[in-house]
Amino acid sequence: MDTTRLFLALWPDAAVREQLRAWRDLWDWPRGASPVHTGKLHMTLHFLGNQPCDAVPALLDGLAVPFSPFRLQLGVAELWHGGIAVLAPSSVPQELIDLHAALSGALPGVGLQPEARDYRPHVTMARRAGRVEIPANGPSIDWPIDHYTLVESKTGDGSGYTVLREYR
C-alpha cells in the first residue's frame, strides 16, 4: 500500500519565514548540527505519520476545524533533550491551545489518534545541535496566524514539504 507522511502545521508567510531564518542564523552551530532549511521552518500542530495515499481526500476534508485567528509571539531560544534547538513562544495564546485541541478532537473522526504527550509549541531550528550556545536574544517575531495547513513530507529523492491544503 502506498503511504505518505503527513503533519498539521502553522506555515509562515515569507516575512515570518525570513524572521525565523534570522533567528536560526544567530546560533553558532557546532560541527555535525543540522540547521533546518529556511523553506522547511514551521510549527507542527500534530504529526500524523505515514498514512495511506487513498485516505488523503478524506483527511483533507475531515481536518477542517473552526478557529479564531490570533497572534503568536516567538522569541525564546531553547536547547531540548537530544540536541533539538528550538524557538518557542514567549507565551502560548489560548487560541493556539484551542486550535490544537480542536484538531485533536477531529483526528478520531478520520481514523487517527492524537499523540499522548503534551503539546509544546515550537519551531525547530536544528537537530543534533549538541552543546550549542543559546543566543541571548534575537528579533522579536510577531506571527499573525490566520490559517493552518496539512503538509506532506517526502524523504529521499524529491524530498521536501508540500502544503496540501490551507485551512482558513
Side-chain angles (χ1 to χ4, degrees):
M1 178 184 311
D2 286 338
T3 63
T4 186
R5 185 178 166 123
L6 302 172
F7 61 93
L8 291 160
L10 299 179
W11 204 254
D13 63 18
V16 171
R17 190 172 299 283
E18 178 58 25
Q19 292 173 316
L20 291 168
R21 184 211 52 78
W23 251 108
R24 185 205 57 210
D25 292 351
L26 284 176
W27 299 62
D28 185 17
W29 301 113
R31 183 181 202 106
S34 294
V36 174
H37 183 277
T38 303
K40 293 183 175 184
L41 293 167
H42 68 277
M43 181 177 286
T44 300
L45 294 165
H46 286 277
F47 178 70
L48 306 179
N50 290 324
Q51 300 301 320
C53 291
D54 60 2
V56 171
L59 292 174
L60 287 168
D61 293 335
L63 295 172
V65 300
F67 78 101
S68 299
F70 59 94
R71 298 190 88 76
L72 185 58
Q73 312 295 319
L74 294 173
V76 179
E78 299 175 342
L79 182 61
W80 288 1
H81 180 74
I84 306 294
V86 304
L87 189 63
S90 49
S91 66
V92 180
Q94 184 62 47
E95 295 91 345
L96 176 56
I97 295 167
D98 294 345
L99 174 58
H100 185 265
L103 290 167
S104 292
L107 290 174
V110 294
L112 302 174
Q113 291 300 314
E115 292 181 282
R117 63 183 171 178
D118 290 339
Y119 180 55
R120 293 174 66 190
H122 66 281
V123 175
T124 299
M125 297 279 110
R127 291 177 174 76
R128 296 186 299 281
R131 300 176 192 256
V132 69
E133 188 172 323
I134 299 169
N137 54 36
S140 178
I141 299 176
D142 181 23
W143 184 357
I145 307 296
D146 64 359
H147 70 283
Y148 64 96
T149 57
L150 177 63
V151 181
E152 179 181 37
S153 173
K154 293 183 181 177
T155 58
D157 289 344
S159 68
Y161 293 162
T162 302
V163 173
L164 300 179
R165 180 166 294 171
E166 288 186 358
Y167 300 90
R168 294 189 179 271

